[in-house]
Every structure is written in C-alpha cells, then in structure tokens.
Amino acid sequence: MMELKTDTSIDAMHEAGQVVARALTAVREAADVGVSLLELDALAHDVLRGAGATSPFLGYRPSFAPTPFPAVICASVNDAIVHGIPDGYRLRDGDLLSADFGAELGGWVGDSAISFVVGTPRPADVRLIETAERALAAAIEAAVVGNRIGDIAHAIGSVCRAAGYGIPDGFGGHGIGRRMHEDPPVPNEGRPGRGLPLRHGMVLAIEPMLVASGRDGYHAAPDGWTLRTDDGSRAAHVEHTVAITEAGPRILTAR
C-alpha cells in the first residue's frame, strides 16, 4: 500500500536524505587508486554513526537474496550494475564505481546512488555516466502532480535508448518512506500517460541503470547479490529520493 507523506514527514525524510548525501560525498572524495571497497564502506558507516542514523542496507534480505546484505553501501565496479558487495578489492585507475547508500533517521529512509570514474576516465565512461545523470534529471522533471508513473519511466527510457544504452529489465526505482522499498514500483522504461497518477505527498526513489553496450542482459554473480552485465560491458547507476509536491519535485538527497 502506498502512503502519502505529509509535508512534515517530507521534511523529516529530507534530514535522512542529507545523511545519505554527506556519505556519498565522503565516499566519492575518498575513492582513489589503491583504496579498498571495504574502506569506503567503513567511511560510510562512520557518517551514519555520526548522524545517529542506521542503515536500511545492512542485514537486508529480500526474497531473492541467499544471505542478508553485509554492508552499508553497495559498491558496484565496472561490469557490476547494482548490489555489489564491498570487499577487499582495491580500486584501480579507470575503474567505474557505482555507490548506492541509504540511511534511516527518525523512522524515515533516504536512498541515493552515484557513479564516477576513479583516476583517469575513459571518454566512453564519461558519456555513459553523463547520460545516466541526464536520464535522472529528465525523470525528476517529469515527477510532477498530474503526471503518471509512466511519464517518469518514459523519460528515463527515452534518454537511455536514444543514446544507444541498454536498460536491465525488471530493475528500477520504488516508493520509499518508513521502509526502503514501498509501493509503487518505478520502471526505467515505459509508456507516457500510463500507470499510477502522481500526487502530492508521494516519495519515490528514481534510479536509472544503463549498460554501455546497448544490450539489456544481466545475471546474478555467485554471491547472489551483485548483478553483472552478460557481455562484460560497463554499467552506470544513479539515484535520488524525490518528493512529489504541488510546488514541483523536491530532491531530498541532493548533494
């Protein structure tokens, strides 16, 4: 069931969202050649503790997962699309890292993701990330009262497909609030004018995921969590938590 949030609740979600923003900023600043994914996870954990917040990721176990998630960030490198588990891997020059992070504060959750290149960027990776960010911006622009979920999905899909990128089927955004995953689902491709009408008080985690090769295929790694592209091509993932308001979309995880 979808819960419409009050303006006071949206303000509280903004506080959680700002913890997320600070953690992702810290992760991006610390990510460098030779830094391990576990070190980045520990840094994000420090931000949570400093804010008096907790992690909706740590210990999370949806129906598809063989084990609870063991970290506070998802760290997905190169051909990993989403849900990468931080480990001792040390970042290398040119790695494309997608970092996804959530925080729960005062009973409300924020969720956001960034993608960036460590060290020397490849032009193709820059284009991929810039397109993901344009798709997210287009989706947020469509997240207005009177539009529908399909308008958000269409905005993402149009930007991604026009640039020649793939979109992993079955994965996308979601409602968010007291729990990390709430109704409604927010697909990354769809038809405009279709789906649930957008109303004041809806809060959505909007998250484009792009595959560089233009193919959509992916598979789960042996850890049961990490999703990787079937063809080994690189992927990018960006996300914001966005409130639908009469005054327009409000980005609660803005950095």
Side-chain angles (χ1 to χ4, degrees):
M1 178 181 295
M2 183 188 68
E3 176 190 8
L4 294 177
K5 281 70 176 178
T6 66
D7 292 346
T8 300
S9 297
I10 290 172
D11 287 341
M13 290 191 69
H14 179 260
E15 294 302 312
Q18 290 310 291
V19 176
V20 176
R22 291 197 298 274
L24 288 176
T25 297
V27 165
R28 182 163 192 165
E29 290 175 349
D32 202 352
V33 175
V35 174
S36 77
L37 301 181
L38 282 174
E39 289 170 334
L40 296 180
D41 186 69
L43 174 61
H45 213 153
D46 286 344
V47 174
L48 278 177
R49 283 191 288 262
T54 58
S55 172
F57 288 19
L58 184 62
Y60 181 60
R61 188 178 184 182
S63 58
F64 68 81
T67 59
F69 196 76
V72 301
I73 64 170
C74 296
S76 305
V77 181
N78 296 333
D79 66 326
I81 306 167
V82 288
H83 303 162
I85 296 176
D87 57 17
Y89 177 83
R90 294 193 176 275
L91 293 166
R92 301 172 183 173
D93 187 52
D95 277 345
L96 196 168
L97 174 63
S98 297
D100 190 357
F101 180 80
E104 182 175 351
L105 183 69
W108 297 100
V109 178
D111 187 11
S112 184
I114 56 175
S115 288
F116 58 93
V117 177
V118 177
T120 309
R122 303 179 185 181
D125 289 343
V126 173
R127 288 194 298 271
L128 178 67
I129 294 167
E130 288 178 346
T131 303
E133 292 172 344
R134 283 195 295 111
L136 179 57
I140 293 170
E141 186 176 348
V144 296
V145 173
N147 272 359
R148 292 176 177 266
I149 291 290
D151 295 304
I152 295 175
H154 179 71
I156 295 170
S158 295
V159 171
C160 297
R161 295 300 190 190
Y165 295 126
I167 301 172
D169 184 47
F171 282 85
H174 48 88
I176 185 170
R178 299 181 189 277
R179 294 175 290 109
M180 182 166 57
H181 292 116
E182 297 183 351
D183 288 333
V186 185
N188 283 335
E189 196 166 26
R191 298 177 62 183
R194 300 296 183 93
L196 192 70
L198 303 181
R199 299 167 59 189
H200 180 92
M202 292 174 66
V203 183
L204 307 174
I206 303 172
E207 47 182 324
M209 303 167 194
L210 284 66
V211 177
S213 66
R215 299 183 178 92
D216 299 349
Y218 63 89
H219 62 275
D223 63 25
W225 275 100
T226 308
L227 299 184
R228 296 190 178 278
T229 61
D230 278 347
D231 58 10
S233 61
R234 294 190 172 204
H237 171 217
V238 294
E239 177 185 18
H240 271 309
T241 296
V242 181
I244 313 298
T245 79
E246 293 289 353
R250 182 181 176 187
I251 304 174
L252 305 183
T253 48
R255 293 175 288 280

